[in-house]
Amino acid sequence: MEYWFTIPGSHPSGTFWYHPHVHGAAARQVSRGLAGAIVVRNDADSILEISRAPEATLVLQDFDIGRNGIPLEPSPMEQMAGREGSLVTVSGRANPELPIQRDGWLRLRIVNASSSRFYRLGLEDHPLYLVASDGGLLCAPEMRDEVLLTPGERVEVMVRGNSLPGEYRLLDLPYDRGGMAMMRMSSLERTAVPLARLRYEGQADSTWDLPAKLASIDPLPAPSVRRTFQLGQPMGMMGGAMAFTINGRRFDPNRIDQRAALNAIEQWEFVNASTMDHPMHIHTSPFQVIDAAGTPVPTWKDTVLVKARSRLAVRTALSTYPGLRMYHCHILDHEDLGMMGTLEVSRS
């Protein structure tokens, strides 16, 4: 089957991705590799200091493979926690090499295309300069020692070749996603996992600094509608199966959970009283995260981490497309087990 679609000229440039969304089988299909990156470029992405650098797209995926080479099926407890595989690949390769010139830059587009795994990324002896997130460029570069990438999230980082020539590892550092004691992953007990190798090759003809400003992003205005979404932790069985819930309800494809008006500005608060982290994703409508002062952060996101025993609000403009769209936890086992809802957006 082929899909044809037109990307509007107003679409932001950035790093995006695609994957199957068959309810009940999304985690199984993505954990077997069904995902890919889409890079969108337009005139807004013409910042010379970024575009002149060599770039690489890193699609992070993990697999649980048996001795016979056949993918293993997770146990019920592994599904509840969110499956993780022992084999981690970068764009289909194990520990690939990333060349960089001395005094030059390298642009990395990174996609977390794993069904459940969180990647806490760190590069030996090199800071990461974050320049873009899910919805495109940031307002300004942000220097980070490490970057946490939850399932579904994307980032673009710049790496400067100003360390001693040699080889440096891009690492997936331990991270605790939480969970009930009986099903908790041993994330903090494992060692750092090498993902790729940064290798110095040659000398750059010239060197330059990143600009202080990248993009102009206006904070969204005050919302006309506020909604609350309670994220439920499974404590038993619903309808004969394990279940995760939003506002006490498991996903039903025949039910509309929320109704909204096209072009409305809405603020959604996710309340996570559980012991597990949940990265929440809204289809079609990018949002801005609300900070501790109650102000929208001028960065476009479509997936955001709601940590265990915490609450977090986002503000979105339900523009452009009327119709149905989904919102769900991007730990795809949790989505398959019910942590998803349907939003209908209608013209007023």
Side-chain angles (χ1 to χ4, degrees), residues 8-319:
S10 60
H11 195 287
S13 61
T15 305
F16 304 90
W17 73 304
Y18 57 92
H19 66 88
H21 222 293
V22 179
H23 184 58
R28 186 174 192 270
Q29 293 182 349
V30 170
S31 68
R32 294 181 176 218
L34 287 178
I38 301 176
V39 174
V40 178
R41 304 181 193 273
N42 61 24
D43 292 342
D45 193 26
S46 59
I47 298 174
L48 181 61
E49 294 90 341
I50 293 178
S51 61
R52 70 186 291 192
E55 69 176 57
T57 300
L58 311 183
V59 180
L60 308 181
Q61 296 175 294
D62 62 335
F63 304 89
D64 201 10
I65 308 293
R67 293 183 179 180
N68 56 4
I70 297 175
L72 300 174
E73 295 295 335
S75 68
M77 284 298 180
E78 287 171 327
Q79 282 185 285
M80 290 182 73
R83 71 190 74 190
E84 289 190 10
S86 58
L87 172 64
V88 181
T89 64
V90 177
S91 299
R93 300 168 61 195
N95 201 24
E97 182 177 292
L98 304 172
I100 189 171
Q101 291 182 315
R102 171 73 181 173
D103 295 325
W105 289 89
L106 177 64
R107 179 183 188 177
L108 299 179
R109 300 176 179 266
I110 310 176
V111 181
N112 184 347
S114 291
S115 60
S116 303
R117 191 186 191 102
F118 288 31
Y119 293 90
R120 183 175 152 231
L121 303 173
L123 180 59
E124 292 177 324
D125 296 332
H126 292 77
L128 301 173
Y129 294 88
L130 186 66
V131 296
S133 187
D134 303 339
L137 290 171
L138 306 182
C139 292
E142 298 177 7
M143 188 177 73
R144 305 276 187 88
D145 290 328
E146 58 184 55
V147 174
L148 180 64
L149 207 60
T150 70
E153 283 190 297
R154 292 88 60 204
V155 291
E156 296 178 32
V157 299
M158 301 291 290
V159 177
R160 192 168 201 167
N162 58 356
S163 290
L164 294 175
E167 189 171 281
Y168 300 86
R169 297 178 300 169
L170 176 65
L171 298 171
D172 174 23
L173 302 168
Y175 181 81
D176 180 13
R177 294 193 281 115
M180 294 179 290
M182 63 184 297
M183 54 183 272
R184 194 158 176 163
M185 303 293 289
S186 58
S187 299
L188 289 175
E189 298 175 5
R190 64 173 171 82
T191 57
V193 177
L195 299 176
R197 295 165 291 124
L198 185 75
R199 178 182 289 276
Y200 278 76
E201 293 184 359
Q203 174 71 39
D205 295 332
S206 61
T207 187
W208 66 92
D209 295 324
L210 294 178
K213 183 178 179 60
L214 299 175
S216 296
I217 303 174
D218 295 327
L220 287 171
S224 58
V225 176
R226 296 175 183 265
R227 302 178 193 267
T228 300
F229 299 85
Q230 301 280 345
L231 309 181
Q233 179 161 305
M235 300 302 292
M237 310 286 278
M238 291 184 67
M242 292 180 296
F244 283 80
T245 61
I246 299 178
N247 290 339
R249 298 198 293 186
R250 185 181 182 186
F251 175 67
D252 182 345
N254 299 312
R255 185 185 66 231
I256 304 298
D257 296 284
Q258 307 288 336
R259 287 181 168 84
L262 186 65
N263 296 320
I265 305 296
E266 296 203 356
Q267 187 156 309
W268 292 15
E269 184 176 39
F270 298 104
V271 180
N272 183 8
S274 77
T275 60
M276 308 177 73
D277 288 0
H278 292 295
M280 298 304 296
H281 172 57
I282 304 176
H283 284 208
T284 309
S285 300
F287 52 75
Q288 296 174 357
V289 176
I290 303 301
D291 65 17
T295 304
V297 178
T299 298
W300 292 112
K301 296 280 295 170
D302 61 39
T303 304
V304 66
L305 177 61
V306 185
K307 292 185 177 181
R309 298 189 179 94
S310 75
R311 55 204 307 149
L312 180 142
V314 303
R315 191 173 297 176
T316 183
L318 302 175
S319 58

